[in-house]
C-alpha cells in the first residue's frame, strides 16, 4: 500500500512540474526624462511605486551617466546603448514592458524600432512623450547656461547641435522644415517621415506591441504642442491648424503603424489633469499599472 501511494505521489508531482502551466509576471523597464537620472529620488521612487502597485519586477534603465548624457548624448546613441543593455539583461530575455517619461520616450521608441535581435516589448506606456516633435526650442530656467538655452532657430539642425544637444533630435520648427527633414538626425527616422527612406522593419516592430498607452497632460507647458504626446501636430511648415493624431499624415499614411495599432484596438489615447509629468496616484493606478500586470506562461 505504501509503495502504491508513493508511486501515486510521484506521478502527481511529475504532472504538476511538467504539465501544469506556470505563469510569471512580465518585467518592466522605466526610462526617465531629460536632466534626470535613475539614482535621483524622484526617478527612483517612481520605479519603486510601479513595482509596488503592479507586483512586477521593474528596473530604471540608465543611459550613460544619466543627467548629463540625457541632455548631451545624441538620441540615436542613447537608443543604441539601451538596445545593448536590454539584450544583456537575462531578466528581460522572454519579453518586457516599458514605461517612459518625457524625452525617455524617444529612447524607448528608438529601442523598439531600431534594436535588432532584441526580446519583444509587449506593452508600452508613454507619459508626456514628444512623439511628433516639439514646435519650439524648449524653455530653460532663468540663468541656465546649457547650450540648448543659447540656441537660435537657425542653429538647431547644425551638426554641432544635433551631435551634442539631445532635444535637437526632436525639435520640429515650421520655419526650418526643409532643414529639419534633411539634417535632423533622429525624429525623421524614428517617425519614418522621409518618403524614399521609410523602413518597413520599424513599422513591423512598432505594430508588434500588444498595447500602446499615450498619456497627455492637460496643463503641460513644457512639451509644445502638448498634443504631440498623442502624436498630434501641425501640417509641415505651418503652425496652424493643430491636427489631432488621426488627421496627421503619419497616421493616415501609417508611416510607423500607429493606424494599424489603433484599428486593432491596441492604442489608448489618454488625457489626464496636471502639468508635465504631474500624474495623480489614481491615474497611475488606472492608466499605467494594468499594463504592467501581464503574465508570461510557461509549460513543458
Amino acid at each position: 500500500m505504501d509503495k502504491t501511494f508513493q508511486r501515486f505521489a510521484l506521478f502527481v508531482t511529475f504532472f504538476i512540474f511538467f504539465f501544469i502551466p506556470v505563469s510569471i509576471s512580465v518585467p518592466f523597464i522605466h526610462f526617465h526624462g531629460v536632466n534626470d537620472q535613475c539614482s535621483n529620488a524622484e526617478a527612483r521612487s517612481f520605479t519603486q511605486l510601479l513595482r509596488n502597485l503592479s507586483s512586477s519586477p521593474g528596473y530604471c534603465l540608465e543611459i550613460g551617466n544619466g543627467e548629463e548624457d540625457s541632455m548631451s548624448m545624441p538620441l540615436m546613441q542613447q537608443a543604441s546603448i539601451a538596445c545593448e543593455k536590454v539584450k544583456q539583461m537575462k531578466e528581460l530575455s522572454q519579453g518586457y514592458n516599458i514605461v517612459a517619461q518625457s524625452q525617455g520616450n524617444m529612447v524607448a521608441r528608438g529601442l523598439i524600432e531600431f534594436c535588432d535581435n532584441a526580446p519583444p516589448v509587449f506593452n508600452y506606456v508613454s507619459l508626456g512623450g514628444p512623439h511628433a516633435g516639439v514646435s519650439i526650442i524648449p524653455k530653460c530656467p532663468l540663468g541656465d547656461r546649457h547650450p540648448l538655452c543659447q540656441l537660435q532657430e537657425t542653429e538647431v539642425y547644425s551638426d554641432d547641435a544635433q551631435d551634442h544637444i539631445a532635444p535637437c533630435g526632436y525639435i520640429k520648427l515650421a520655419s526650418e522644415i526643409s532643414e529639419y527633414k534633411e539634417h535632423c538626425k533622429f525624429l525623421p527616422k524614428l517617425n519614418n517621415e522621409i518618403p524614399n527612406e521609410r523602413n518597413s522593419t520599424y513599422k513591423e516592430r512598432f505594430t508588434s506591441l500588444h498595447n500602446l498607452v499615450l498619456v497627455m497632460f492637460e496643463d503641460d507647458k513644457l512639451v509644445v504642442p502638448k498634443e504631440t504626446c498623442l502624436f498630434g501636430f501641425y501640417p509641415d511648415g505651418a503652425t496652424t491648424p493643430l491636427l489631432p493624431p488621426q488627421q496627421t499624415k503619419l497616421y493616415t499614411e501609417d508611416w510607423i503603424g500607429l493606424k494599424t495599432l489603433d484599428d486593432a484596438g491596441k492604442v489608448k489615447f489618454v488625457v489626464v489633469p496636471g502639468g508635465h509629468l504631474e500624474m495623480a496616484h489614481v491615474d497611475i493606478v488606472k492608466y499605467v499599472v494594468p499594463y504592467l500586470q501581464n503574465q508570461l506562461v510557461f509549460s513543458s
Side-chain angles (χ1 to χ4, degrees):
M1 188 73 174
D2 288 342
K3 287 184 178 178
T4 303
F5 179 77
Q6 286 174 356
R7 286 182 188 137
F8 178 73
L10 186 62
F11 171 77
V12 170
T13 302
F14 178 85
F15 182 83
I16 290 173
F17 277 96
F18 290 95
F19 291 99
I20 295 184
V22 176
S23 63
I24 62 170
S25 297
V26 174
F28 70 87
I29 58 173
H30 164 218
F31 287 106
H32 61 68
V34 70
N35 258 350
D36 202 357
Q37 58 191 46
C38 289
S39 59
N40 284 350
E42 193 170 348
R44 193 170 64 245
S45 63
F46 185 65
T47 307
Q48 187 60 55
L49 175 66
L50 296 181
R51 284 194 207 108
N52 294 344
L53 293 174
S54 67
S55 299
S56 298
Y59 313 89
C60 183
L61 200 72
E62 192 64 276
I63 307 299
N65 64 18
E67 194 166 333
E68 182 180 340
D69 282 340
S70 73
M71 180 63 90
S72 61
M73 185 185 290
L75 287 166
M76 196 62 76
Q77 186 180 349
Q78 292 193 40
S80 178
I81 290 172
C83 171
E84 293 309 311
K85 283 197 167 190
V86 162
K87 289 193 287 187
Q88 290 169 12
M89 292 177 67
K90 63 182 188 299
E91 301 93 337
L92 309 181
S93 62
Q94 300 302 311
Y96 62 101
N97 302 315
I98 295 177
V99 177
Q101 296 175 294
S102 197
Q103 181 181 283
N105 285 285
M106 299 289 94
V107 182
R109 283 187 51 214
L111 169 61
I112 293 168
E113 294 180 37
F114 304 152
C115 190
D116 296 325
N117 304 311
V121 178
F122 299 124
N123 298 331
Y124 168 33
V125 182
S126 163
L127 307 177
H131 294 291
V134 293
S135 61
I136 62 171
I137 298 172
K139 291 187 173 71
C140 296
L142 192 63
D144 195 323
R145 295 184 176 274
H146 189 276
L148 174 67
C149 309
Q150 319 300 322
L151 204 62
Q152 303 298 311
E153 287 193 352
T154 54
E155 300 171 325
V156 170
Y157 305 117
S158 67
D159 282 342
D160 188 53
Q162 290 292 310
D163 292 341
H164 297 99
I165 306 175
C168 287
Y170 54 89
I171 295 174
K172 189 174 184 179
L173 302 173
S175 61
E176 303 286 332
I177 199 66
S178 61
E179 287 293 302
Y180 162 79
K181 288 184 176 181
E182 189 172 348
H183 297 295
C184 185
K185 296 183 179 182
F186 188 73
L187 194 66
K189 181 176 182 178
L190 187 71
N191 282 347
N192 256 343
E193 291 187 58
I194 311 303
N196 60 347
E197 297 178 16
R198 288 189 185 132
N199 190 317
S200 61
T201 300
Y202 303 160
K203 180 177 179 178
E204 181 182 329
R205 290 172 178 167
F206 196 64
T207 53
S208 72
L209 291 170
H210 294 189
N211 290 285
L212 170 63
V213 183
L214 301 169
V215 178
M216 180 186 89
F217 295 87
E218 227 167 16
D219 301 316
D220 199 331
K221 302 293 192 295
L222 186 63
V223 176
V224 179
K226 61 188 177 184
E227 288 79 6
T228 187
C229 301
L230 307 178
F231 281 94
F233 209 70
Y234 308 103
D236 279 355
T239 54
T240 57
L242 180 54
L243 302 174
Q246 293 83 357
Q247 292 179 22
T248 64
K249 284 188 176 181
L250 179 143
Y251 185 97
T252 59
E253 298 180 4
D254 212 18
W255 295 344
I256 59 168
L258 181 62
K259 184 179 186 300
T260 297
L261 281 172
D262 196 21
D263 287 345
K266 296 180 179 180
V267 184
K268 285 74 182 171
F269 297 96
V270 178
V271 180
V272 297
H276 188 64
L277 300 183
E278 294 174 355
M279 196 166 192
H281 187 275
V282 65
D283 289 328
I284 294 173
V285 170
K286 183 176 181 180
Y287 298 117
V288 181
V289 174
Y291 300 97
L292 304 181
Q293 294 180 315
N294 47 329
Q295 301 277 307
L296 282 171
V297 179
F298 299 93
S299 59
S300 299

